[in-house]
Protein backbone atom coordinates (compact mmCIF):
# COMPACT_ATOMS: atom_id res chain seq x y z
CA UNK A 1 0.00 0.00 0.00
CA UNK A 2 1.08 3.60 -0.54
CA UNK A 3 1.95 5.61 2.55
CA UNK A 4 2.23 9.37 3.03
CA UNK A 5 4.33 10.57 5.96
CA UNK A 6 3.81 14.17 7.05
CA UNK A 7 6.78 15.98 8.59
CA UNK A 8 10.51 16.28 8.11
CA UNK A 9 12.41 16.01 11.39
CA UNK A 10 14.36 13.32 13.22
CA UNK A 11 11.13 11.81 14.50
CA UNK A 12 9.79 11.44 10.97
CA UNK A 13 13.07 9.90 9.79
CA UNK A 14 12.71 7.25 12.51
CA UNK A 15 9.09 6.69 11.46
CA UNK A 16 10.09 6.46 7.80
CA UNK A 17 12.71 3.81 8.50
CA UNK A 18 10.20 1.65 10.37
CA UNK A 19 7.47 2.17 7.77
CA UNK A 20 9.87 1.31 4.95
CA UNK A 21 10.68 -2.03 6.64
CA UNK A 22 7.09 -3.25 6.43
CA UNK A 23 6.24 -5.73 3.67
CA UNK A 24 2.89 -3.88 3.35
CA UNK A 25 4.61 -0.69 2.23
CA UNK A 26 4.54 -0.05 -1.49
CA UNK A 27 5.47 3.50 -2.29
CA UNK A 28 6.49 5.70 0.65
CA UNK A 29 6.12 9.47 0.27
CA UNK A 30 7.10 12.21 2.72
CA UNK A 31 6.09 15.91 2.87
CA UNK A 32 8.47 17.63 3.10
CA UNK A 33 10.80 14.86 4.34
CA UNK A 34 14.53 15.51 4.66
CA UNK A 35 17.77 14.23 3.07
CA UNK A 36 17.82 11.18 5.36
CA UNK A 37 14.22 10.30 4.58
CA UNK A 38 14.97 10.83 0.87
CA UNK A 39 17.16 7.71 0.96
CA UNK A 40 14.07 5.55 1.58
CA UNK A 41 11.11 7.63 0.42
CA UNK A 42 10.09 10.10 -2.24
CA UNK A 43 10.13 13.56 -0.68
CA UNK A 44 7.68 16.18 -1.89
CA UNK A 45 8.49 19.85 -1.33
CA UNK A 46 6.29 22.91 -1.50
CA UNK A 47 3.15 21.66 0.28
CA UNK A 48 1.94 23.79 3.20
CA UNK A 49 1.45 21.42 6.15
CA UNK A 50 -1.24 23.74 7.52
CA UNK A 51 -3.28 23.42 4.31
CA UNK A 52 -5.54 20.40 4.82
CA UNK A 53 -7.03 20.61 1.33
CA UNK A 54 -3.56 20.56 -0.25
CA UNK A 55 -2.57 17.50 1.81
CA UNK A 56 -5.78 15.66 0.87
CA UNK A 57 -5.25 16.52 -2.80
CA UNK A 58 -1.69 15.18 -2.64
CA UNK A 59 -2.89 11.97 -0.97
CA UNK A 60 -5.50 11.50 -3.69
CA UNK A 61 -2.97 12.10 -6.47
CA UNK A 62 -0.55 9.58 -4.99
CA UNK A 63 -3.32 7.03 -4.24
CA UNK A 64 -2.42 6.93 -0.56
CA UNK A 65 -3.78 4.08 1.57
CA UNK A 66 -2.43 5.33 4.89
CA UNK A 67 -1.37 8.82 5.98
CA UNK A 68 0.91 9.11 9.01
CA UNK A 69 1.03 12.50 10.71
CA UNK A 70 4.21 13.43 12.60
CA UNK A 71 3.95 17.00 13.96
CA UNK A 72 1.26 18.48 16.20
CA UNK A 73 0.28 21.40 13.99
CA UNK A 74 -1.52 19.43 11.24
CA UNK A 75 -3.20 17.29 13.93
CA UNK A 76 -4.61 20.23 15.91
CA UNK A 77 -5.48 21.74 12.53
CA UNK A 78 -7.75 18.75 11.79
CA UNK A 79 -5.87 17.03 8.98
CA UNK A 80 -7.02 13.59 10.18
CA UNK A 81 -10.65 14.74 9.96
CA UNK A 82 -9.97 16.05 6.45
CA UNK A 83 -8.44 12.72 5.39
CA UNK A 84 -11.40 10.84 6.91
CA UNK A 85 -13.87 13.04 5.01
CA UNK A 86 -12.04 12.11 1.80
CA UNK A 87 -12.10 8.40 2.69
CA UNK A 88 -8.35 8.20 3.37
CA UNK A 89 -7.13 6.26 6.40
CA UNK A 90 -4.83 8.21 8.67
CA UNK A 91 -2.82 7.50 11.80
CA UNK A 92 -3.33 10.21 14.40
CA UNK A 93 -6.08 11.80 16.51
CA UNK A 94 -8.87 13.98 15.16
CA UNK A 95 -8.86 17.71 15.77
CA UNK A 96 -11.14 17.29 18.80
CA UNK A 97 -8.97 14.61 20.37
CA UNK A 98 -5.73 16.47 19.56
CA UNK A 99 -6.96 19.33 21.72
CA UNK A 100 -5.35 17.39 24.57
CA UNK A 101 -2.13 18.89 23.21
CA UNK A 102 -3.52 21.97 21.48
CA UNK A 103 -5.00 23.46 24.63
CA UNK A 104 -3.45 23.03 28.06
CA UNK A 105 -6.69 24.37 29.55
CA UNK A 106 -8.66 21.57 27.84
CA UNK A 107 -6.19 18.90 28.99
CA UNK A 108 -6.32 20.13 32.59
CA UNK A 109 -10.13 20.31 32.50
CA UNK A 110 -10.39 16.69 31.31
CA UNK A 111 -7.95 15.53 33.98
CA UNK A 112 -9.87 17.37 36.71
CA UNK A 113 -13.24 16.09 35.50
CA UNK A 114 -12.06 12.46 35.42
CA UNK A 115 -9.79 12.47 38.48
CA UNK A 116 -6.52 11.93 36.61
CA UNK A 117 -3.54 12.91 38.80
CA UNK A 118 -1.82 16.14 37.71
CA UNK A 119 -0.54 19.36 39.26
CA UNK A 120 -3.18 21.61 40.92
CA UNK A 121 -3.92 24.62 38.72
CA UNK A 122 -5.95 27.71 37.93
CA UNK A 123 -6.74 29.26 34.54
CA UNK A 124 -6.61 33.01 33.89
CA UNK A 125 -7.68 35.18 30.94
CA UNK A 126 -7.00 38.35 32.86
CA UNK A 127 -3.44 39.36 33.70
CA UNK A 128 -4.53 41.47 36.68
CA UNK A 129 -6.22 38.56 38.40
CA UNK A 130 -3.31 36.27 37.55
CA UNK A 131 -0.88 38.72 39.17
CA UNK A 132 -2.95 38.84 42.36
CA UNK A 133 -3.14 35.03 42.43
CA UNK A 134 0.63 34.45 42.17
CA UNK A 135 1.25 37.05 44.89
CA UNK A 136 -1.19 35.32 47.25
CA UNK A 137 -0.45 31.66 46.66
CA UNK A 138 2.39 29.46 47.80
CA UNK A 139 5.38 29.41 45.36
CA UNK A 140 6.83 27.92 43.15
CA UNK A 141 4.81 27.68 39.92
CA UNK A 142 4.85 26.41 36.37
CA UNK A 143 3.22 29.12 34.25
CA UNK A 144 2.01 27.98 30.82
CA UNK A 145 0.60 29.59 27.71
CA UNK A 146 -2.64 27.77 26.84
CA UNK A 147 -2.01 27.12 23.15
CA UNK A 148 0.72 25.55 21.02
CA UNK A 149 4.10 27.23 21.52
CA UNK A 150 6.53 24.76 19.93
CA UNK A 151 7.31 23.29 23.35
CA UNK A 152 8.49 26.65 24.67
CA UNK A 153 5.39 28.06 26.34
CA UNK A 154 6.23 27.04 29.92
CA UNK A 155 8.10 29.18 32.47
CA UNK A 156 9.09 27.73 35.86
CA UNK A 157 9.19 30.36 38.62
CA UNK A 158 10.49 30.31 42.19
CA UNK A 159 9.38 33.69 43.55
CA UNK A 160 6.31 35.91 43.20
CA UNK A 161 8.38 38.49 41.29
CA UNK A 162 9.51 35.85 38.82
CA UNK A 163 5.93 34.67 38.45
CA UNK A 164 4.72 38.21 37.69
CA UNK A 165 7.53 38.64 35.15
CA UNK A 166 6.52 35.35 33.51
CA UNK A 167 2.90 36.50 33.28
CA UNK A 168 4.10 39.72 31.63
CA UNK A 169 6.17 37.74 29.13
CA UNK A 170 3.33 35.41 28.19
CA UNK A 171 0.18 37.56 28.50
CA UNK A 172 1.39 41.11 27.91
CA UNK A 173 4.43 40.83 25.62
CA UNK A 174 2.80 37.82 23.91
CA UNK A 175 6.17 36.07 23.63
CA UNK A 176 4.32 32.96 22.40
CA UNK A 177 1.74 34.84 20.36
CA UNK A 178 -1.98 34.23 20.81
CA UNK A 179 -1.16 30.97 22.63
CA UNK A 180 -0.60 33.27 25.60
CA UNK A 181 -4.03 34.91 25.73
CA UNK A 182 -4.89 32.44 28.47
CA UNK A 183 -2.51 30.96 31.02
CA UNK A 184 -2.53 27.93 33.25
CA UNK A 185 -0.78 28.50 36.58
CA UNK A 186 0.22 25.19 38.15
CA UNK A 187 1.89 24.12 41.35
CA UNK A 188 5.45 23.03 40.59
CA UNK A 189 5.89 19.27 40.88
CA UNK A 190 9.20 17.64 41.77
CA UNK A 191 10.45 14.21 40.81
CA UNK A 192 11.93 12.39 37.84
CA UNK A 193 10.32 12.99 34.45
CA UNK A 194 9.59 10.22 31.99
CA UNK A 195 7.78 10.04 28.64
CA UNK A 196 5.36 7.21 28.08
CA UNK A 197 4.06 6.87 24.54
CA UNK A 198 1.20 4.50 23.78
CA UNK A 199 -0.55 3.20 20.69
CA UNK A 200 -4.31 3.32 21.00
CA UNK A 201 -7.32 2.66 18.79
CA UNK A 202 -9.62 4.58 21.12
CA UNK A 203 -10.14 1.57 23.37
CA UNK A 204 -7.14 -0.75 23.55
CA UNK A 205 -3.97 0.85 24.95
CA UNK A 206 -0.51 -0.54 24.16
CA UNK A 207 2.29 1.36 25.94
CA UNK A 208 5.66 1.58 24.23
CA UNK A 209 9.03 1.38 25.94
CA UNK A 210 9.26 4.31 28.39
CA UNK A 211 11.81 6.96 27.40
CA UNK A 212 13.60 9.88 28.94
CA UNK A 213 14.32 13.07 27.08
CA UNK A 214 17.04 15.68 27.89
CA UNK A 215 15.48 19.09 27.36
CA UNK A 216 18.26 21.35 28.64
CA UNK A 217 21.11 22.41 26.38
CA UNK A 218 24.04 21.60 28.66
CA UNK A 219 25.43 18.70 30.66
CA UNK A 220 23.96 18.22 34.12
CA UNK A 221 20.60 19.52 32.83
CA UNK A 222 21.82 23.12 32.88
CA UNK A 223 21.24 25.91 30.40
CA UNK A 224 18.21 26.85 28.31
CA UNK A 225 15.45 24.50 27.18
CA UNK A 226 15.78 22.96 23.73
CA UNK A 227 13.70 20.71 21.51
CA UNK A 228 15.60 17.80 23.12
CA UNK A 229 19.32 17.01 23.17
CA UNK A 230 19.04 13.26 23.51
CA UNK A 231 16.95 10.38 24.78
CA UNK A 232 17.11 6.79 25.87
CA UNK A 233 14.78 3.82 26.25
CA UNK A 234 13.72 1.82 28.12
CA UNK A 235 13.86 4.18 31.11
CA UNK A 236 14.50 2.12 34.25
CA UNK A 237 12.48 4.61 36.35
CA UNK A 238 9.39 3.01 34.73
CA UNK A 239 9.23 -0.27 36.62
CA UNK A 240 6.54 -2.82 35.72
CA UNK A 241 4.63 -1.87 38.91
CA UNK A 242 4.76 1.83 38.06
CA UNK A 243 3.60 1.10 34.53
CA UNK A 244 0.56 -0.72 35.91
CA UNK A 245 -0.19 2.26 38.16
CA UNK A 246 0.10 4.68 35.22
CA UNK A 247 -2.15 2.48 33.15
CA UNK A 248 -4.80 2.19 35.86
CA UNK A 249 -4.78 5.80 37.11
CA UNK A 250 -3.94 7.75 33.96
CA UNK A 251 -4.08 5.98 30.58
CA UNK A 252 -7.27 3.93 31.08
CA UNK A 253 -9.29 6.78 32.62
CA UNK A 254 -8.06 9.22 29.95
CA UNK A 255 -8.91 7.00 26.98
CA UNK A 256 -12.33 6.21 28.53
CA UNK A 257 -12.84 9.92 29.20
CA UNK A 258 -12.19 10.82 25.58
CA UNK A 259 -14.78 8.22 24.51
CA UNK A 260 -17.35 9.69 26.91
CA UNK A 261 -16.57 13.20 25.70
CA UNK A 262 -17.35 12.08 22.15
CA UNK A 263 -13.75 12.58 21.03
CA UNK A 264 -12.30 9.05 20.91
CA UNK A 265 -8.51 9.28 20.89
CA UNK A 266 -6.71 7.21 18.24
CA UNK A 267 -3.05 7.26 17.31
CA UNK A 268 -0.04 7.81 19.51
CA UNK A 269 -0.71 9.34 22.91
CA UNK A 270 2.35 10.90 24.51
CA UNK A 271 2.08 11.27 28.28
CA UNK A 272 4.74 13.38 29.99
CA UNK A 273 4.88 12.16 33.58
CA UNK A 274 6.44 13.40 36.79
CA UNK A 275 7.15 10.59 39.23
CA UNK A 276 6.41 12.43 42.48
CA UNK A 277 6.46 11.19 46.07
CA UNK A 278 2.67 10.87 45.81
CA UNK A 279 2.97 8.76 42.67
CA UNK A 280 2.91 9.48 38.93
CA UNK A 281 1.28 12.74 37.80
CA UNK A 282 0.71 14.12 34.32
CA UNK A 283 2.88 17.05 33.19
CA UNK A 284 1.39 17.16 29.70
CA UNK A 285 -0.26 15.18 26.96
CA UNK A 286 0.95 15.35 23.37
CA UNK A 287 -1.09 14.12 20.43
CA UNK A 288 1.89 12.67 18.55
CA UNK A 289 5.17 10.83 18.85
CA UNK A 290 7.89 12.59 20.87
CA UNK A 291 11.06 13.97 19.38
CA UNK A 292 13.73 12.66 20.15
CA UNK A 293 11.96 9.84 22.05
CA UNK A 294 10.78 8.22 18.81
CA UNK A 295 14.38 7.88 17.64
CA UNK A 296 15.06 5.48 20.55
CA UNK A 297 11.66 3.81 20.87
CA UNK A 298 10.99 2.72 17.30
CA UNK A 299 14.38 1.00 16.81
CA UNK A 300 13.26 -1.31 19.65
CA UNK A 301 9.96 -2.20 17.95
CA UNK A 302 10.09 -5.70 16.47
CA UNK A 303 6.54 -5.78 15.11
CA UNK A 304 5.21 -4.29 11.88
CA UNK A 305 4.53 -0.56 12.36
CA UNK A 306 2.17 -0.40 9.37
CA UNK A 307 -0.01 -3.17 10.83
CA UNK A 308 -0.06 -1.40 14.20
CA UNK A 309 -0.99 1.95 12.65
CA UNK A 310 -3.75 0.41 10.55
CA UNK A 311 -5.06 -1.33 13.67
CA UNK A 312 -5.12 2.00 15.55
CA UNK A 313 -7.06 3.61 12.72
CA UNK A 314 -9.47 0.69 12.30
CA UNK A 315 -10.04 -0.28 15.93
CA UNK A 316 -8.48 -3.73 16.11
CA UNK A 317 -5.33 -3.05 18.09
CA UNK A 318 -6.27 -5.77 20.62
CA UNK A 319 -5.68 -8.43 17.93
CA UNK A 320 -2.43 -6.93 16.64
CA UNK A 321 0.98 -8.12 17.90
CA UNK A 322 3.25 -5.43 19.36
CA UNK A 323 6.60 -6.87 20.44
CA UNK A 324 9.64 -5.05 21.77
CA UNK A 325 13.32 -5.92 21.68
CA UNK A 326 14.99 -6.53 25.05
CA UNK A 327 17.79 -4.16 23.99
CA UNK A 328 18.29 -0.51 24.94
CA UNK A 329 18.70 2.48 22.64
CA UNK A 330 20.36 5.84 23.24
CA UNK A 331 20.15 8.93 21.00
CA UNK A 332 22.68 11.76 21.14
CA UNK A 333 21.57 14.88 19.27
CA UNK A 334 24.33 16.71 17.40
CA UNK A 335 23.39 20.39 17.23
CA UNK A 336 24.75 23.55 15.61
CA UNK A 337 26.93 25.58 17.99
CA UNK A 338 24.83 28.31 19.61
CA UNK A 339 21.55 26.39 19.52
CA UNK A 340 18.94 27.07 20.97
CA UNK A 341 20.15 30.63 20.36
CA UNK A 342 21.37 31.89 16.96
CA UNK A 343 23.59 29.51 14.99
CA UNK A 344 25.24 29.22 11.58
CA UNK A 345 23.91 27.00 8.76
CA UNK A 346 25.45 25.46 5.65
CA UNK A 347 28.36 23.66 7.34
CA UNK A 348 29.48 20.50 5.57
CA UNK A 349 28.69 17.25 7.43
CA UNK A 350 31.05 14.28 7.11
CA UNK A 351 31.33 10.84 8.66
CA UNK A 352 27.73 9.63 8.63
CA UNK A 353 28.65 6.49 6.67
CA UNK A 354 31.42 5.73 9.16
CA UNK A 355 28.97 6.06 12.06
CA UNK A 356 26.55 3.72 10.29
CA UNK A 357 29.36 1.26 9.57
CA UNK A 358 30.07 1.26 13.31
CA UNK A 359 26.49 0.03 13.82
CA UNK A 360 24.74 3.30 14.66
CA UNK A 361 21.49 4.61 13.25
CA UNK A 362 21.76 8.22 12.10
CA UNK A 363 18.54 10.23 11.87
CA UNK A 364 18.50 13.54 10.03
CA UNK A 365 16.76 16.58 11.51
CA UNK A 366 18.31 19.85 10.31
CA UNK A 367 20.27 18.83 7.20
CA UNK A 368 20.19 19.89 3.56
CA UNK A 369 21.61 18.41 0.39
CA UNK A 370 23.48 20.75 -1.94
CA UNK A 371 24.77 19.75 -5.38
CA UNK A 372 27.66 17.74 -4.00
CA UNK A 373 27.45 17.61 -0.22
CA UNK A 374 25.33 17.37 2.90
CA UNK A 375 25.24 20.53 5.03
CA UNK A 376 23.71 21.69 8.31
CA UNK A 377 20.36 23.44 8.01
CA UNK A 378 18.94 23.71 11.53
CA UNK A 379 19.61 23.81 15.24
CA UNK A 380 19.30 20.12 15.87
CA UNK A 381 21.18 18.55 12.96
CA UNK A 382 21.38 14.78 13.54
CA UNK A 383 20.31 12.15 16.07
CA UNK A 384 22.91 9.42 16.46
CA UNK A 385 21.46 6.24 17.97
CA UNK A 386 23.30 3.33 19.53
CA UNK A 387 21.55 0.05 20.28
CA UNK A 388 23.00 -2.59 22.59
CA UNK A 389 22.17 -5.12 25.27
CA UNK A 390 21.95 -2.45 27.98
CA UNK A 391 21.92 1.34 28.39
CA UNK A 392 25.60 1.56 29.28
CA UNK A 393 26.69 -0.19 26.10
CA UNK A 394 24.14 1.72 24.03
CA UNK A 395 25.59 5.00 25.38
CA UNK A 396 29.09 3.88 24.35
CA UNK A 397 27.83 2.86 20.91
CA UNK A 398 26.03 6.18 20.32
CA UNK A 399 29.10 8.24 21.29
CA UNK A 400 31.29 6.04 19.11
CA UNK A 401 29.09 7.13 16.19
CA UNK A 402 29.10 10.79 17.29
CA UNK A 403 32.93 10.77 17.33
CA UNK A 404 32.96 9.84 13.64
CA UNK A 405 30.67 12.65 12.50
CA UNK A 406 31.92 16.19 12.04
CA UNK A 407 30.73 19.64 11.08
CA UNK A 408 31.96 23.09 11.96
CA UNK A 409 30.66 24.16 15.37
CA UNK A 410 29.17 20.76 16.25
CA UNK A 411 27.76 20.64 19.77
CA UNK A 412 26.33 17.77 21.79
CA UNK A 413 25.77 16.78 25.39
CA UNK A 414 28.21 14.27 26.82
CA UNK A 415 25.95 12.94 29.59
CA UNK A 416 22.95 11.47 27.77
CA UNK A 417 21.29 8.75 29.91
CA UNK A 418 23.09 9.90 33.08
CA UNK A 419 20.01 9.23 35.22
CA UNK A 420 19.71 5.65 34.01
CA UNK A 421 23.44 5.06 34.50
CA UNK A 422 23.29 6.52 38.05
CA UNK A 423 20.29 4.33 38.86
CA UNK A 424 22.09 1.23 37.68
CA UNK A 425 25.38 2.05 39.43
P1 LIG B 1 5.23 21.11 29.09
O1 LIG B 1 5.36 21.88 27.83
O2 LIG B 1 3.91 21.24 29.77
O3 LIG B 1 5.73 19.72 28.97
O4 LIG B 1 6.34 21.72 30.08
C1 LIG B 1 7.69 21.76 29.73
C2 LIG B 1 8.52 21.31 30.87
O5 LIG B 1 8.31 22.14 32.01
C3 LIG B 1 8.19 19.90 31.34
O6 LIG B 1 8.85 18.91 30.63
C4 LIG B 1 8.65 19.96 32.79
O7 LIG B 1 10.06 19.76 32.87
C5 LIG B 1 8.34 21.36 33.19
N1 LIG B 1 7.04 21.44 33.86
C6 LIG B 1 5.85 21.71 33.31
N2 LIG B 1 4.86 21.72 34.23
C7 LIG B 1 5.44 21.46 35.40
C8 LIG B 1 4.97 21.35 36.75
N3 LIG B 1 3.68 21.54 37.07
N4 LIG B 1 5.87 21.06 37.69
C9 LIG B 1 7.17 20.89 37.39
N5 LIG B 1 7.69 21.00 36.16
C10 LIG B 1 6.84 21.28 35.17
N1 LIG C 1 10.43 15.39 23.59
C1 LIG C 1 9.37 16.24 23.91
C2 LIG C 1 8.33 16.32 22.91
O1 LIG C 1 8.36 15.68 21.87
O2 LIG C 1 7.38 17.06 23.14
Amino acid sequence: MNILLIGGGGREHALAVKLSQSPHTGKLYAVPGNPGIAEIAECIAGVDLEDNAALVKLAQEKEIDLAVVGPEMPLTNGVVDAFAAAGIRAFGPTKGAAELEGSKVYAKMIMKRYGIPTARYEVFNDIGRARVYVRQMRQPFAIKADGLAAGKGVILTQTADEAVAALDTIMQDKAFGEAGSRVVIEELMTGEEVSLLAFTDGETIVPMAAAQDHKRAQDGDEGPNTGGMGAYAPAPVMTPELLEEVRAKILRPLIDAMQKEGRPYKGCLYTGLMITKQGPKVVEFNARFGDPETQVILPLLESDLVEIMLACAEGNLAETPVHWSKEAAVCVVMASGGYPGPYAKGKEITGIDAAKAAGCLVFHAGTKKTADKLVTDGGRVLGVVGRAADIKRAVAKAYEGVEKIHFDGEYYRRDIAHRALARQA
Side-chain angles (χ1 to χ4, degrees):
M1 62 181 71
N2 294 339
I3 299 181
L4 177 65
L5 173 63
I6 297 173
R11 164 183 54 205
E12 286 77 18
H13 191 183
L15 283 162
V17 167
K18 214 70 209 173
L19 292 169
S20 73
Q21 288 167 354
S22 168
H24 298 291
T25 303
K27 197 101 175 80
L28 178 61
Y29 298 93
V31 268
N34 67 37
I37 295 173
E39 291 168 10
I40 46 177
E42 183 179 329
C43 294
I44 299 164
V47 181
D48 178 0
L49 300 194
E50 290 182 42
D51 185 343
N52 290 344
L55 289 166
V56 168
K57 184 160 163 275
L58 175 68
Q60 283 166 336
E61 273 167 22
K62 302 294 183 191
E63 299 180 345
I64 294 303
D65 302 291
L66 174 68
V68 176
V69 189
E72 60 273 21
M73 182 58 96
L75 291 168
T76 57
N77 198 31
V79 75
V80 170
D81 311 64
F83 282 132
I88 299 163
R89 271 181 306 207
F91 177 85
T94 57
K95 182 183 174 111
E99 213 179 338
L100 278 181
E101 173 165 5
S103 166
K104 294 195 188 287
V105 172
Y106 178 75
K108 295 298 276 192
M109 186 272 287
I110 288 289
M111 287 189 269
K112 187 180 247 178
R113 186 177 288 168
Y114 292 90
I116 295 168
T118 186
R120 276 196 305 271
Y121 73 102
E122 291 292 335
V123 177
F124 294 91
N125 300 294
D126 181 281
I127 190 168
R129 285 169 194 265
R131 284 198 191 108
V132 171
Y133 177 82
V134 296
R135 292 240 177 256
Q136 283 174 348
M137 299 300 289
R138 197 151 67 102
Q139 317 294 324
F141 298 112
I143 302 186
K144 308 184 173 186
D146 174 38
L148 286 184
K152 300 197 181 82
V154 177
I155 303 177
L156 308 182
T157 63
Q158 293 298 327
T159 65
D161 286 344
E162 281 175 23
V164 169
L167 290 170
D168 288 346
T169 303
I170 297 174
M171 300 186 86
Q172 195 166 283
D173 307 344
K174 291 273 162 76
F176 312 111
E178 282 314 306
S181 314
R182 270 202 300 192
V183 292
V184 177
I185 304 181
E186 295 187 6
E187 63 169 337
L188 198 79
M189 300 182 285
T190 52
E192 196 167 331
E193 270 189 81
V194 60
S195 311
L196 185 66
L197 282 63
F199 293 111
T200 176
D201 61 2
E203 218 170 292
T204 299
I205 304 164
V206 179
M208 306 182 209
Q212 210 162 38
D213 178 9
H214 299 60
K215 289 197 165 95
R216 303 292 205 94
Q218 291 153 22
D219 287 2
D221 297 317
E222 305 276 344
N225 262 321
T226 70
M229 295 301 294
Y232 65 91
V237 61
M238 186 60 75
T239 60
E241 299 73 42
L242 184 59
L243 180 61
E244 277 323 299
E245 190 180 349
V246 171
R247 197 196 265 279
K249 292 187 178 159
I250 296 171
L251 300 182
R252 188 74 265 163
L254 190 265
I255 293 301
D256 292 347
M258 297 306 283
Q259 281 277 7
K260 286 201 196 91
E261 296 287 322
R263 307 183 187 201
Y265 190 100
K266 300 179 185 185
C268 173
L269 176 71
Y270 172 128
T271 308
L273 293 162
M274 186 77 79
I275 311 307
T276 73
K277 288 210 184 76
Q278 300 93 44
K281 294 187 182 180
V282 176
V283 178
E284 62 167 345
F285 289 117
N286 291 323
R288 52 171 174 79
F289 286 90
D291 190 336
E293 288 93 335
T294 305
Q295 291 89 311
V296 291
I297 293 170
L298 288 186
L300 302 177
L301 178 66
E302 288 180 340
S303 305
D304 187 320
L305 183 61
V306 174
E307 285 179 12
I308 296 169
M309 289 183 157
L310 286 174
C312 289
E314 288 170 353
N316 45 21
L317 186 57
E319 296 91 64
T320 305
V322 185
H323 297 300
W324 300 95
S325 151
K326 297 261 178 293
E327 289 192 327
V330 171
C331 174
V332 177
V333 169
M334 297 185 74
S336 300
Y339 172 79
Y343 53 83
K345 288 186 184 178
K347 305 293 180 190
E348 181 173 6
I349 305 167
T350 58
I352 290 182
D353 286 341
K356 287 187 189 163
C360 292
L361 301 164
V362 181
F363 296 119
H364 292 232
T367 69
K368 193 169 88 178
K369 200 110 193 179
T370 63
D372 56 343
K373 52 191 182 196
L374 185 73
V375 299
T376 65
D377 195 44
R380 293 189 299 164
V381 177
L382 297 168
V384 182
V385 175
R387 256 179 321 182
D390 56 38
I391 297 268
K392 194 170 167 200
R393 280 175 242 205
V395 167
K397 175 62 72 186
Y399 281 105
E400 188 190 331
V402 166
E403 293 298 326
K404 298 193 188 306
I405 297 175
H406 297 287
F407 50 88
D408 237 24
E410 71 197 48
Y411 172 75
Y412 53 90
R413 275 181 63 164
R414 289 168 194 275
D415 66 343
I416 299 304
H418 66 97
R419 284 208 176 76
L421 295 177
R423 195 173 275 273
Q424 284 165 352

